[in-house]
Amino acid sequence: MATIVIDGQNFDVAEGRNLLETCLELGFDLPYFCWHPAMGSVGSCRQCAVQVYANDDDQRGRLVMACMTPVTPGLRASTTLESVRQFRETSIEVLMANHPHDCPVCEEGGECHLQDMTILSGHHSRTFRGAKKTYPNQNLGPCIGHEMNRCITCYRCVRFYGDYAGGSDLQAMSSRENVYFGRHTDGTLESPFSGNLVEVCPTGVFTDKPYSQSFTRKWDLQSAPSICTLCSLGCNTNPNERSGKIKRIVNRYHNDINGYFLCDRGRFGFAHLNNARPTVYALQQPTKGLLETTPEMAWEQVSNLLQETPKDALWGLGSSRATVEENQLLKQLVGKKHYFAGTTDRELALVQLVTGIYQLAATRSASLKDIEHSDAVLIIGEDLTHTAPMMALSVRQSSRHRAFELADGARIPRWQDAAVRNIAQDERSPVMQVQSYATPLDAIASHTFRANPQGMADQIDAITAAVLATPSDASEDWAHQVAQHLLTANNPCVIAGTSAGSVGLLKATLRLMEALYAKRAAPIATAMVVQDSNSMGLALSQPVSGAETLVARLTAIEAPQTLVCLQTDLYTLVASEAVDRLWERGHRLVVIDNMASETGAKSVIFMPATTAVESEGTLINNEGRAQRYFSVYTPQDVLKDTWRMLVQLLALRQPGSVENSVDHYDAMVAHCIKQDPALAYLVAVAPDAH
Ligand code: FES
């Protein structure tokens, strides 16, 4: 801790951090552009000027950039001295000289960092009367708009895009006093993290193109805390809605998961929430197929179907897209012995193996933040940029650990971004991969081994043998090098998952974890990637088996059975002929879904469900972390929460099994916990309605 004086007040603060960050945390309003909490300082915008004094006798002081000044014991600073205030005002006046007067039509208006900082710095009226510099804009593809005239050259965009996310097609190009941030030629930005430009750019140079095309001012948007459902990481988001449509999705900060950023899939992949989704009830009509009906008619048919379905003839297919609560209600509806997972038998076995690995004493579940802090990473059979993009971004940050070590040695603060990158040059911490094919992380990998899943498992066993043999075996081969890195690193991390589809590979990973644990005598940070947003929750709900087993069981039964299928397309999991045979046998299908599918088309009764932005529920991410999402807006028309439909089905099928009071979310959660006390954690995930 260091005692410092800011504007005449004493504060005890952490030593070694930069003065800007410290001032902001203490509540001082210092303007800034180029500093970013995740990217550190480069001192390019000159906005955060303060006066610092060498000692108590120093009456003159000197003007410094707060973002480039480390906090040291006894530091004295003034943020309000007239000369520094004047400096900041003049700096921003210069930056604003070429900035267009387009706030009323700029997408950034109302949430513009530049607007806020300009007013904060005291630059209220313009005196510049010359011609403004103008630049051509580029077509950067379907996601990102470009309005280069708004640029204030803070360099945040290229620092994020290139330095932080590893992209190479966006550059700062300059000639004399002209600086241009863009691509060499027009074209779609290649980085899967390009959408973050919209949030890191403080001025509106890079804008969210789909949002701009159907624009709404920020204050007209409705929002609620949500969870991305497009991979298993559970990044925190804020979907923004107006008039029953999601307009955009922005990042919601979570220190341990996505931090300040989102991948493009999570940010832009929401069209299915607005379009081409089933919003009406439908009944199967002989020769005519599935035809729209009223909710009343559909519920009457469901009631009849449930009444005529004998006690042991009701089956359920849970979903890795549905919430913990919805799967639990389905399980209660059909009974434990008839509750199956809406995933393949193999995927279910793999995810169950993953949950087993997490429970070993040898492992500890690693968050994305833990991965960032790792100084040696081994990736086994996962193309992270595609299966869990934000984890790939974390791996990129972990590779900087070596740079931080070099900076520490040279007594350069880690937040001195340019200096740290300069001293490190191309030095990186080990990122080791055992993969089937080339991936975007090859560019930063120190060790890559390619093989098919069996070959990968053999290679992991070779690493395990090398771990156990060390130090007596001084071999220098590939496996020994990887083993050495895993044994000598301070915080090694092993990343694996289910996308290689290999039980053998996961079992080999398990053996490696136990060998590392035996040698290091401490649990190893372990990150497992699974398929969907609630694959973990589905596996933990203890289904009998996966979809193939369910289809085989139903095929073997002559008497008509009823299957309730929850947010799953059976045809993507089991061969079409095998599924069709079920309906040929006279088995009946009830589908509850918020997406159109082949399975929905074959249902006798189709019930449209709400999406994650219209409802509330709990998902368990790849780490085993339970997170709640909340309803951004009330669904329109006939749409009902899936859990409400399941409660209604329960009341029809098992009168008295569900209390009348289960008419709001908290009561439903209490009901689920009563059915399965292992779900008691659900009440701790988020506050209740009160
Ligand atoms: Fe300090 Fe830009 S924030 S110079």
Side-chain angles (χ1 to χ4, degrees):
M1 294 293 275
T3 301
I4 62 171
V5 183
I6 304 176
D7 294 343
Q9 299 177 62
N10 284 359
F11 297 98
D12 289 328
V13 297
E15 203 174 329
R17 301 173 76 189
N18 70 62
L19 183 56
L20 171 63
E21 193 171 10
T22 304
C23 284
L24 294 175
E25 277 187 12
L26 292 173
F28 289 91
D29 282 335
L30 257 189
Y32 64 94
F33 291 119
C34 61
W35 173 78
H36 188 285
M39 296 190 282
S41 310
V42 289
S44 76
C45 74
R46 321 312 281 170
Q47 264 314 288
C48 62
V50 294
Q51 194 86 351
V52 296
Y53 301 87
N55 51 47
D56 286 348
D57 300 329
D58 182 1
Q59 295 304 312
R60 203 152 156 241
R62 65 195 168 93
L63 184 147
V64 297
M65 295 307 122
C67 70
M68 301 296 280
T69 305
V71 166
T72 50
L75 179 136
R76 245 175 357 114
S78 169
T79 66
T80 53
L81 193 73
E82 181 54 23
S83 58
V84 290
R85 199 204 60 71
Q86 188 64 48
F87 178 92
R88 295 196 298 254
E89 186 180 337
T90 310
S91 297
I92 209 156
E93 184 167 4
V94 172
L95 292 180
M96 294 298 290
N98 287 299
H99 190 82
H101 297 195
D102 67 346
C103 297
V105 296
C106 174
E107 297 92 324
E108 205 76 357
E111 52 185 335
C112 178
H113 191 75
L114 178 62
Q115 274 181 339
D116 294 344
M117 297 298 125
T118 304
I119 299 303
L120 179 62
S121 70
H123 174 53
H124 294 178
S125 55
R126 298 187 169 192
T127 54
F128 179 69
R129 294 287 172 261
K132 288 177 183 288
K133 264 189 223 167
T134 56
Y135 299 91
N137 299 321
Q138 290 186 316
N139 182 352
L140 298 177
C143 296
I144 304 295
H146 192 222
E147 178 52 67
M148 186 54 211
N149 293 333
R150 295 177 186 147
C151 183
I152 56 160
T153 58
C154 71
Y155 285 77
R156 266 189 180 187
C157 56
V158 287
R159 289 178 59 220
F160 171 78
Y161 197 91
D163 297 349
Y164 195 91
S168 58
D169 59 319
L170 183 85
Q171 305 286 352
M173 293 162 275
S174 61
S175 169
R176 295 175 54 223
E177 77 273 25
N178 293 304
V179 188
Y180 189 86
F181 296 87
R183 286 171 51 92
H184 286 268
T185 56
D186 280 26
T188 302
L189 288 168
E190 289 162 9
S191 169
F193 307 104
S194 66
N196 294 296
L197 292 175
V198 176
E199 292 196 55
V200 298
C201 174
T203 75
V205 173
F206 298 98
T207 53
D208 182 328
K209 212 180 232 182
Y211 176 53
S212 303
Q213 283 160 358
S214 163
F215 187 67
T216 299
R217 283 284 175 218
K218 186 190 181 182
W219 49 79
D220 291 324
L221 293 167
Q222 185 161 280
S223 187
S226 196
I227 306 296
C228 181
T229 57
L230 298 181
C231 81
S232 64
L233 299 184
C235 291
N236 286 208
T237 61
N238 264 325
N240 293 169
E241 173 268 355
R242 192 177 188 198
S243 307
K245 297 270 187 222
I246 294 297
K247 295 284 186 179
R248 66 173 179 180
I249 290 178
V250 294
N251 168 67
R252 182 164 63 92
Y253 180 81
H254 192 301
N255 185 61
D256 294 329
I257 308 179
N258 47 305
Y260 294 89
F261 306 118
L262 284 182
C263 73
D264 286 0
R265 192 195 306 169
R267 185 182 299 274
F268 298 114
F270 62 84
H272 64 289
L273 300 174
N274 291 337
N275 308 312
R277 54 174 284 207
T279 52
V280 292
Y281 286 79
L283 295 177
Q284 196 71 239
Q285 305 288 358
T287 72
K288 292 183 183 157
L290 207 58
L291 292 183
E292 181 179 343
T293 189
T294 61
E296 296 75 21
M297 182 68 84
W299 277 103
E300 191 183 320
Q301 293 294 319
V302 170
S303 176
N304 294 341
L305 184 58
L306 289 179
Q307 273 167 24
E308 68 195 41
T309 300
K311 188 166 179 292
D312 287 329
L314 185 63
W315 303 72
L317 192 65
S319 170
S320 51
R321 284 196 280 127
T323 64
V324 171
E325 298 89 334
E326 289 159 355
N327 281 306
Q328 171 63 26
L329 290 167
L330 179 68
K331 186 163 138 186
Q332 191 192 347
L333 176 70
V334 301
K336 285 181 197 166
K337 291 184 181 158
H338 283 190
Y339 170 67
F340 287 72
T343 187
T344 60
D345 289 354
R346 178 194 290 246
E347 177 69 15
L348 181 65
L350 289 167
V351 183
Q352 284 171 336
L353 201 47
V354 164
T355 61
I357 290 175
Y358 276 143
Q359 287 169 39
L360 293 174
T363 65
R364 66 179 172 84
S365 171
S367 66
L368 296 190
K369 186 64 126 195
D370 291 328
I371 295 172
E372 279 184 25
H373 288 164
S374 296
D375 51 352
V377 174
L378 172 63
I379 305 167
I380 303 171
E382 284 293 324
D383 176 3
L384 295 178
T385 311
H386 294 104
T387 59
M390 288 300 291
M391 194 179 282
L393 195 60
S394 294
V395 170
R396 286 185 182 277
Q397 309 324 307
S398 80
S399 73
R400 295 197 65 212
H401 201 86
R402 177 71 187 135
F404 292 136
E405 283 174 355
L406 291 168
D408 292 347
R411 303 181 65 184
I412 297 171
R414 293 185 174 199
W415 44 262
Q416 280 273 15
D417 193 50
V420 173
R421 290 183 190 278
N422 200 23
I423 197 169
Q425 298 294 312
D426 289 331
E427 294 259 4
R428 290 199 182 89
S429 307
V431 173
M432 303 160 283
Q433 300 190 96
V434 179
Q435 294 285 12
S436 292
Y437 52 87
T439 78
L441 286 180
D442 288 0
I444 58 160
S446 56
H447 299 70
T448 299
F449 181 89
R450 279 199 235 295
N452 61 23
Q454 182 54 50
M456 289 195 281
D458 292 344
Q459 190 62 22
I460 298 302
D461 281 337
I463 299 170
T464 305
V467 166
L468 293 171
T470 302
S472 56
D473 183 346
S475 171
E476 282 295 305
D477 68 12
W478 196 95
H480 280 80
Q481 288 178 26
V482 173
Q484 272 306 322
H485 284 307
L486 292 173
L487 287 171
T488 55
N490 290 322
N491 295 305
C493 179
V494 175
I495 297 173
T498 63
S499 68
S502 168
V503 171
L505 184 57
L506 272 185
K507 287 191 172 164
T509 304
L510 192 152
R511 290 190 287 274
L512 172 62
M513 307 309 291
E514 289 191 317
L516 286 169
Y517 181 56
K519 284 285 180 176
R520 296 183 58 103
I524 312 302
T526 307
M528 293 284 166
V529 179
V530 292
Q531 204 168 55
D532 288 323
S533 56
N534 198 32
S535 290
M536 294 289 274
L538 182 64
L540 291 170
S541 69
Q542 298 179 324
V544 176
S545 189
E548 295 100 319
T549 304
L550 171 69
V551 170
R553 293 248 183 116
L554 288 175
T555 308
I557 301 173
E558 289 289 339
Q561 307 286 300
T562 299
L563 171 63
V564 179
C565 182
L566 180 62
Q567 298 182 22
T568 298
D569 187 358
L570 200 46
Y571 284 88
T572 62
L573 304 172
V574 184
S576 305
E577 309 77 50
V579 183
D580 283 339
R581 224 170 289 137
L582 298 181
W583 326 134
E584 287 158 13
R585 273 185 176 266
H587 298 330
R588 284 94 37 117
L589 174 66
V590 176
V591 169
I592 302 174
D593 207 344
N594 49 37
M595 289 170 102
S597 70
E598 180 71 15
T599 306
K602 293 288 166 60
S603 59
V604 291
I605 304 166
F606 181 85
M607 306 166 85
T610 49
T611 63
V613 291
E614 297 160 330
S615 186
E616 194 169 345
T618 309
L619 303 171
I620 300 183
N621 80 348
N622 71 307
E623 312 165 63
R625 183 193 299 267
Q627 299 190 100
R628 178 85 34 88
Y629 61 73
F630 296 89
S631 170
V632 177
Y633 64 101
T634 308
Q636 297 179 343
D637 307 327
V638 297
L639 292 176
K640 221 175 188 183
D641 294 316
T642 301
W643 69 261
R644 286 185 194 278
M645 288 200 255
L646 287 162
V647 165
Q648 202 166 332
L649 290 175
L650 262 172
L652 288 169
R653 177 73 176 175
Q654 305 163 21
S657 67
V658 54
E659 308 81 2
N660 289 339
S661 58
V662 180
D663 60 351
H664 61 95
Y665 180 79
D666 293 336
M668 182 272 291
V669 167
H671 172 82
C672 288
I673 295 171
K674 207 159 118 194
Q675 295 299 315
D676 182 358
L679 298 177
Y681 67 86
L682 286 174
V683 291
V685 172
D688 64 17
H690 294 293

